[in-house]
Amino acid sequence: MPENLNELYSNTNFIITGGALKTLTDFLNARRVQALVVEKVSADTLNVLDADGVAPTSLTLKDNVSELFSSGIVKQSFEIGFANGNNEWPGVVRIRGANWTIYLLLKKSPESPDAFIKELEPCAGLIGLWQTVKTISETEKKLSRLSYMILATKSTLASIFEPMPLQYFASFIADVVKESLFPKSVVILRDDGKNLTVFNGKADVIPSREGFYASQILPPTPIVTKKDSPVEVVLPIAEGDCRLFCLMQWDNLPDEQTMNFLRH
């Protein structure tokens, strides 16, 4: 019994720490299926996770394969489907969950797509387990960062009402955002009533003081000002005559948990 349990633990740990991907490529290799295994990171961007019988020229692909499938809600732990592709990838398999999507880009469409999908289901289920564990892990990291922010805010609360020097407050906000949300860049801008100037960080371009930047009443929530990479989000911070703007950039649009973090 202990030996069986050890084997069970070893196999389970292997699957949930990334071995599910190897199980999938072993499945493809055993059937001589040439394919790229890619992960959707945005509407038209795919990251290459693995390849079998295919030599990718880049680890990132620009392809709208998502348009081949319906965009309905996933009602199960995972969902698997097939669609006819293009000349380069005649067959495309989509394996997805609520918050993740993986595609198999096939060099040759299977003779019986339904039979191929049926065979592939156990591998897709293991991929689903792996992705679920990854999602839980990422959530734990975000909760840990939230805990850090709350602790940092609590420890400096007294200083804020002394009051905290504005330069120190700006540095504090920038540090919390960097440590909690890992943006590509963080810049704190100050509004002097006529222009916006860099108060903390570095900026290649300073936005003009117009639109919501010039509004008398600032919105209390973050605003997405640029949706193309790099994505730009601005968080207004105002108290009396003091007006600051925390300008953040990411390679991809922040998820809802990140935006909730900024709202609170």
Side-chain angles (χ1 to χ4, degrees):
M1 180 65 74
E3 290 182 0
N4 292 335
L5 287 176
N6 283 334
E7 183 179 355
L8 177 61
Y9 166 74
S10 178
N11 290 340
T12 303
N13 187 61
F14 172 73
I15 292 298
I16 65 176
T17 55
L21 184 59
K22 185 179 186 308
T23 302
L24 175 60
T25 52
D26 285 347
F27 169 89
L28 298 174
N29 185 54
R31 288 156 182 77
R32 299 179 182 273
V33 176
Q34 295 179 301
L36 277 185
V37 182
V38 298
E39 181 178 31
K40 178 181 176 181
V41 292
S42 67
D44 64 345
T45 302
L46 307 169
N47 281 350
V48 177
L49 298 179
D50 211 336
D52 198 83
V54 181
T57 57
S58 173
L59 294 180
T60 302
L61 301 179
K62 289 290 185 180
D63 203 315
N64 293 318
V65 292
S66 59
E67 296 178 356
L68 300 174
F69 298 88
S70 65
S71 57
I73 298 173
V74 181
K75 298 179 181 180
Q76 305 173 41
S77 58
F78 74 93
E79 180 183 270
I80 182 170
F82 176 86
N84 292 313
N86 51 33
N87 291 333
E88 185 176 10
W89 309 109
V92 180
V93 174
R94 181 182 69 178
I95 306 171
R96 67 168 183 156
N99 302 301
W100 56 271
T101 304
I102 286 176
Y103 295 100
L104 304 184
L105 307 182
L106 308 177
K107 271 296 183 182
K108 182 180 179 181
S109 188
E111 293 182 6
S112 174
D114 290 342
F116 181 73
I117 290 297
K118 190 68 177 176
E119 266 195 297
L120 191 59
E121 278 186 357
C123 290
L126 295 178
I127 291 288
L129 290 176
W130 170 43
Q131 292 294 325
T132 297
V133 171
K134 279 180 62 179
T135 300
I136 292 171
S137 178
E138 286 300 314
T139 300
E140 287 178 342
K141 289 178 183 178
K142 289 177 179 179
L143 287 173
S144 178
R145 293 196 293 269
L146 177 59
S147 177
Y148 163 81
M149 187 189 76
I150 293 172
L151 180 62
T153 303
K154 181 180 178 181
S155 65
T156 57
L157 197 58
S159 299
I160 292 175
F161 292 103
E162 285 182 0
M164 176 190 291
L166 190 58
Q167 187 66 58
Y168 181 79
F169 175 71
S171 297
F172 167 71
I173 292 296
D175 287 344
V176 167
V177 170
K178 289 175 186 175
E179 292 289 336
S180 304
L181 305 177
F182 303 109
K184 188 174 183 179
S185 66
V186 178
V187 178
I188 306 294
L189 303 174
R190 185 175 186 180
D191 177 15
D192 64 6
K194 295 182 179 180
N195 300 293
L196 297 177
T197 57
V198 175
F199 198 55
N200 183 278
K202 296 180 180 179
D204 295 329
V205 179
I206 301 175
S208 302
R209 189 179 183 274
E210 56 187 24
F212 80 89
Y213 285 114
S215 176
Q216 186 174 0
I217 300 176
L218 294 176
T221 57
I223 301 165
V224 179
T225 54
K226 184 170 178 285
K227 292 185 177 181
D228 298 326
S229 183
V231 176
E232 185 178 270
V233 178
V234 177
L235 178 65
I237 304 169
E239 181 63 37
D241 295 333
C242 179
R243 292 160 54 100
L244 302 177
F245 297 91
C246 181
L247 192 153
M248 300 153 282
Q249 290 186 336
W250 286 269
D251 287 328
N252 299 300
L253 190 68
D255 58 24
E256 190 60 27
Q257 288 175 317
T258 297
M259 296 302 285
N260 280 336
F261 187 105
L262 290 171
R263 291 185 189 104
H264 294 88

